[in-house]
Amino acid sequence: MQPCMQVRQFEGLLSPLLRPSLATLPNCQAAWAALAVEELSRLGVSTFAVAPGSRSSPLALAAASHPRSQLTVAIDERSLGFWALGYSRANPTGLPAAVICSSGTAVANLLPAVVEASQSNIPLLLLTADRPYEMRDTGANQTIDQVKLFGGYCRWTSDIIPPSEQLPGRIVVSTVDTAVRYATASPAPGPVHLNFQFRDPLAPNAAPWQPDKFLQGLEGWQQSAEPYTAILNLAGNPLPGLPTIGGAAAAASGVGPWLDGGSSNSSSMVAAAGNPQLGQLLQLLLNAERGLIVVGEQVDSGGAAATMQLAAALGWPVAADVLSNLRVGGHQLPGAGAHLSSSIGSGNGSSVSQLLMHHFDHVLLGDQQSWWSKLQPDVVLQLGPRVTSKRVNQFMVWCALGSNGSRPATPWLFVSSGPERHDAAHLLACHISMTPQQLLQLVLTAQMQQQQPCLSSLSDGSSNGNGSNHDYQWWQQRQQQRLAQFKSANSIYAQLLCQLDAAAAAQIDASLANMAQLSEMAVARVLSSQIPVGTGLFLGNSMPIRDMDMYSGPGGYSQPLAAVAVAAMAAVPDAAAYVTAAVDSSSSGSNTSAMVASSSSNHAPGFVNSQSPAAQPSGALGMIEGFRQVDEDGVGFSSPTTVNPDERVIGSMPPGGLLSWRSNAGVSTLGPGLRCHNTAVAVPETLVGVPVAANRGASGIDGVLSTAAGFAAGLRRPVTLVVGDLSFLHDVNGLSLLRGGEMSPPLTVVLINNKGGGIFSFLPVADSVGREAFERLWGTPQNVDLEGELTLA
């Protein structure tokens, strides 16, 4: 390690002493840029993604010379934008990276990342350089209309006037404050564009200037280390007027039970919630007998943990998406190994891990009328957007539609902290604008209030010896019985779904165990269960995220499959290991190739080869693979994979060999493993799972490598990327970012090579056109030496 890298972390602590005086800077352009970078640093934005360019020189130099800044440099603005997107998505502070680029088409290349950031509510700062206004529309070189170039995808845009010694520098400082406020605003953070106009000189050459007027109003700011404009964000605090969770607070509220004599006391519930609509929500949730929680994308472990605590409190089963942060790399909780029947239905709350379903997509295989009618819930509570499974989405739509009186419609509730509509079927009964933590707070408070007396005569006479104490105990017991009755009904439904889920898991394991060749399904199965705690996972779009959603399973999967075992071992982020595992594949799809490369080593790749003859699928595997649906253009298509179940298996993966247990001491909790909303301590991944992310805002296949590299940098931990061959080729320039940055964590790339656009073979067009036309226009087979590309990385 170079000496400059060893002391850089200490320079940040001394930065107020190391900053040069603004008045001593060589020219007004340099001072203007220095003000912007310094204010960003004070606000906590110290990570800069920089693309080379002339017009952006003042900004690049200011960022590079600031003692607290961390720079990532890349020549491709599109890759750089996605890197910043990945970093901002994973950064635990919720603050964005800032992209610095030159003028012209360099700015236009940021559009794909801006679109994804906007659709996914990811904060992003774009600091673009531009010609001054007198050079616009004059034919000047490298000059385009950059003002509001990104349209409605930006939360806020400012075309900043060129710097001048006659203008107060506080203009740019307050503009930066506003930009960060818009970028991080709850509940809909997103990209913000600051377009900096710069005149010559762009280099740090001396040019006489008078700083007195320029620095007017910044005297106090220069003497402090605080931002110019303080930002106080109270978003995410407990709901106003709602008692906090805890016996003393609930008792002090004076709110009595709202269940009495089999009917809900709506007035008491309104008082408990402080809002009539919240009261109706609580009544619906606590009276449901077949409740189902569907978890979409969750961006933080706190929301995921709150979801499971909510499920345990209600006794509802959880159908979790792969992006829920619940399914990949998680452990069972201590003491959660008891049989399902003994832990569900006891009325004392359910085992958290045993309410979690990994294969609800497979559980739904079957006819809608005869099979789905047996599984229909009476309430669907969806937490978070973007459910990957087409079949799960179809099931929720089917439930919400009902059937002309013969089958009741199921209320479909959607919980999200933002106002965006995620209702493609136009069937949501209620959009609940709150976080899972807030909903958990509501439910637990209401449940505690059910068990407290509302009649003052009971509480006042409980100790006066006149017999009221007996009435009080009788009332308390009655309320507990009523609560247990509702939980018991839900537990029967939960037991049904969870046992079906376990059967599907066993069927998948048995089918994959008979496959001696490498398959996309097996890669997803093993990687998901063997990813170590303390790492992260990023998924490419198209087939990787769909395979991981359908086939990822709980920890400890140990089916004997040598080729996948090699891939799983390679996915362990180890700076001393660099492995390439590959299986020759043909355009027929009988084989799949997986290449694994780590960005943290220069070791030569290894090579593993396994081939087996193709045969028609049979039994359970044919059923499982035959229903691998995709939702491209909303169309599903089934295509069985050819396997030979009689092929001899080779090798074995030790059960749980790559998993470790980690606990966080001193976590402030609202229940087992659940952090308080305002604490910064991460939820232990033994309760939930490792962070999993994907670019699902616009679901593009570009920029995946770059986003994953930024995701690892923002997460500050090793990350495994699973990506398809075409998506990999779309972002080959992103390979330059795999080794970039100071002390960046390693990124392991698992490349699934199915020789082109394999996902299109599931669509009806595959049978509607000739083979030659399909391969040319949709299949697009590639003959690139992908192993060589990874070796060069």
Side-chain angles (χ1 to χ4, degrees):
M1 185 179 293
Q2 298 179 357
C4 64
M5 293 178 63
Q6 293 177 337
V7 301
R8 188 174 184 85
Q9 55 183 319
F10 303 108
E11 291 179 357
L13 300 176
L14 301 174
S15 59
L17 303 177
L18 297 175
R19 288 195 303 266
S21 170
L22 290 168
T24 64
L25 291 175
N27 55 59
C28 189
Q29 279 67 236
W32 193 259
L35 283 173
V37 170
E38 172 63 24
E39 184 68 0
L40 284 172
S41 177
R42 295 186 184 195
L43 291 168
V45 179
S46 58
T47 298
F48 296 89
V50 181
S54 173
R55 189 61 51 173
S56 57
S57 295
L59 289 169
L61 288 169
S65 60
H66 197 283
R68 285 204 296 266
S69 67
Q70 297 179 340
L71 265 63
T72 292
V73 181
I75 61 172
D76 182 2
E77 287 83 6
R78 188 175 77 160
S79 292
L80 201 66
F82 276 110
W83 184 94
L85 168 72
Y87 176 91
S88 303
R89 179 190 293 274
N91 188 8
T93 67
L95 292 169
V99 180
I100 296 175
C101 77
S102 190
S103 60
T105 58
V107 182
N109 275 288
L110 297 174
L111 178 60
V114 171
V115 170
E116 178 63 34
S118 179
Q119 297 289 95
S120 298
N121 289 343
I122 304 299
L124 193 63
L125 274 179
L126 310 172
L127 313 182
T128 64
D130 198 358
R131 263 63 173 174
Y133 53 80
E134 66 267 17
M135 297 180 65
R136 296 173 179 173
D137 295 322
T138 64
N141 185 45
Q142 200 173 322
T143 304
I144 67 172
D145 185 1
Q146 297 177 193
V147 180
K148 296 188 177 180
L149 179 65
F150 305 112
Y153 291 109
C154 278
R155 301 295 185 264
W156 188 67
T157 298
S158 180
D159 186 29
I160 304 175
I161 193 172
S164 167
E165 63 182 24
Q166 300 301 316
L167 294 174
R170 60 183 185 271
I171 291 177
V172 70
V173 175
S174 65
T175 301
V176 165
D177 291 335
T178 304
V180 173
R181 191 163 63 248
Y182 271 100
T184 59
S186 178
V192 166
H193 180 201
L194 296 183
N195 193 53
F196 287 81
Q197 303 176 47
F198 284 116
R199 297 188 178 99
D200 290 331
L202 302 174
N205 299 328
W209 70 297
Q210 298 297 324
D212 294 343
K213 190 171 184 179
F214 183 88
L215 297 178
Q216 187 178 8
L218 293 175
E219 295 83 3
W221 179 84
Q222 291 187 83
Q223 299 301 318
S224 74
E226 299 299 320
Y228 185 74
T229 305
I231 299 177
L232 180 61
N233 188 354
L234 298 179
N237 284 341
L239 297 174
L242 182 68
T244 56
I245 297 174
S253 69
V255 178
W258 53 269
L259 279 179
D260 183 33
S263 61
S264 62
N265 186 333
S266 59
S267 61
S268 296
M269 184 155 51
V270 169
N275 183 298
Q277 291 178 318
L278 289 180
Q280 294 172 7
L281 168 66
L282 289 173
Q283 181 180 2
L284 182 62
L285 295 179
L286 296 181
N287 286 347
E289 297 184 357
R290 290 168 62 93
L292 173 66
I293 295 176
V294 177
V295 190
E297 184 179 20
Q298 295 290 326
V299 296
D300 67 275
S301 57
T307 296
M308 294 310 299
Q309 293 292 311
L310 179 64
L314 294 173
W316 292 15
V318 177
D321 188 86
V322 69
L323 298 180
S324 64
N325 284 333
L326 289 171
R327 284 180 50 190
V328 176
H331 261 299
Q332 277 197 336
L333 293 176
H339 291 295
L340 189 67
S341 58
S342 63
S343 63
I344 297 181
S346 61
N348 297 320
S350 302
S351 170
V352 174
S353 63
Q354 291 176 346
L355 289 170
L356 179 63
M357 295 184 290
H358 291 263
H359 307 293
F360 192 55
D361 182 280
H362 289 87
V363 170
L364 294 176
L365 289 170
D367 179 74
Q368 291 186 359
Q369 297 303 322
S370 62
W371 180 239
W372 284 11
S373 60
K374 296 180 175 64
L375 307 179
Q376 183 177 359
D378 56 8
V379 176
V380 171
L381 179 65
Q382 181 181 342
L383 301 174
R386 301 184 185 93
V387 175
T388 302
S389 168
K390 178 181 179 180
R391 194 157 27 241
V392 173
N393 279 299
Q394 289 174 335
F395 178 70
M396 291 190 292
V397 169
W398 178 85
C399 292
L401 281 174
S403 179
N404 296 326
S406 62
R407 179 175 55 83
T410 298
W412 184 357
L413 315 178
F414 178 74
V415 178
S416 175
S417 59
E420 299 84 8
R421 181 171 65 171
H422 293 278
D423 183 18
H426 310 283
L427 285 170
L428 286 184
C430 183
H431 183 119
I432 306 166
S433 293
M434 64 176 65
T435 65
Q437 293 94 322
Q438 291 172 322
L439 182 58
L440 172 65
Q441 182 187 23
L442 277 172
V443 170
L444 292 183
T445 302
Q447 287 182 336
M448 286 188 297
Q449 290 169 354
Q450 289 181 19
Q451 302 178 41
Q452 294 173 352
C454 65
L455 299 177
S456 58
S457 59
L458 289 179
S459 57
D460 293 341
S462 59
S463 59
N464 61 10
N466 62 3
S468 296
N469 187 49
H470 174 75
D471 297 335
Y472 171 78
Q473 292 176 348
W474 169 85
W475 181 91
Q476 220 179 14
Q477 184 178 27
R478 182 166 178 262
Q479 295 304 317
Q480 291 174 353
Q481 290 173 349
R482 293 229 9 110
L483 182 61
Q485 177 183 347
F486 284 112
K487 281 196 172 184
S488 177
N490 275 295
S491 297
I492 294 173
Y493 180 65
Q495 185 174 2
L496 168 66
L497 292 187
C498 291
Q499 287 180 345
L500 290 171
D501 183 73
Q507 191 82 359
I508 292 171
D509 289 346
S511 300
L512 293 179
N514 289 326
M515 299 176 64
Q517 65 199 41
L518 188 65
S519 73
E520 298 169 52
M521 299 173 292
V523 169
R525 187 73 167 170
V526 175
L527 282 179
S528 66
S529 62
Q530 298 297 327
I531 278 193
V533 171
T535 67
L537 177 66
F538 198 89
L539 300 174
N541 284 313
S542 193
M543 290 311 300
I545 189 171
R546 290 174 172 87
D547 285 329
M548 194 68 72
D549 185 64
M550 291 185 69
Y551 296 102
S552 63
Y557 176 76
S558 58
Q559 294 300 328
L561 190 63
V564 181
V566 172
M569 294 297 293
V572 179
D574 185 350
Y578 184 105
V579 181
T580 298
V583 178
D584 290 341
S585 66
S586 64
S587 59
S588 65
S590 59
N591 292 313
T592 298
S593 163
M595 302 179 182
V596 183
S598 172
S599 64
S600 58
S601 172
N602 294 320
H603 290 252
F607 186 80
V608 176
N609 190 2
S610 173
Q611 295 183 353
S612 62
Q616 293 299 319
S618 62
L621 183 61
M623 177 194 73
I624 294 172
E625 178 59 18
F627 283 92
R628 294 174 74 211
Q629 291 184 336
V630 299
D631 56 5
E632 193 74 31
D633 297 327
V635 180
F637 185 71
S638 61
S639 175
T641 294
T642 55
V643 298
N644 187 349
D646 298 323
E647 190 74 16
R648 183 175 62 87
V649 295
I650 48 177
S652 177
M653 169 68 71
L658 304 180
L659 289 173
S660 61
W661 180 271
R662 188 184 73 173
S663 63
N664 286 345
V667 176
S668 181
T669 64
L670 299 178
L674 176 62
R675 68 176 181 179
C676 293
H677 185 75
N678 291 326
T679 62
V681 183
V683 175
E685 287 166 9
T686 49
L687 173 62
V688 287
V690 303
V692 181
N695 286 340
R696 296 300 285 176
S699 298
I701 66 170
D702 52 345
V704 174
L705 273 172
S706 303
T707 309
F711 184 71
L715 207 59
R716 297 176 178 87
R717 63 174 75 180
V719 166
T720 298
L721 165 66
V722 183
V723 64
D725 53 321
L726 291 188
S727 187
F728 174 85
L729 291 174
H730 262 278
D731 195 24
V732 169
N733 283 352
L735 290 173
S736 64
L737 291 165
L738 299 192
R739 299 181 184 274
E742 299 176 1
M743 298 178 290
S744 59
L747 175 69
T748 300
V749 180
V750 179
L751 173 56
I752 307 295
N753 182 13
N754 57 14
K755 297 292 186 180
I759 190 172
F760 296 113
S761 64
F762 292 91
L763 300 178
V765 70
D767 284 346
S768 302
V769 300
R771 178 72 178 179
E772 181 178 352
F774 174 80
E775 288 297 325
R776 181 185 179 190
L777 298 176
W778 290 276
T780 58
Q782 47 80 21
N783 295 301
V784 180
D785 181 10
L786 297 178
E787 182 184 353
E789 293 281 352
L790 288 176
T791 304
L792 292 175

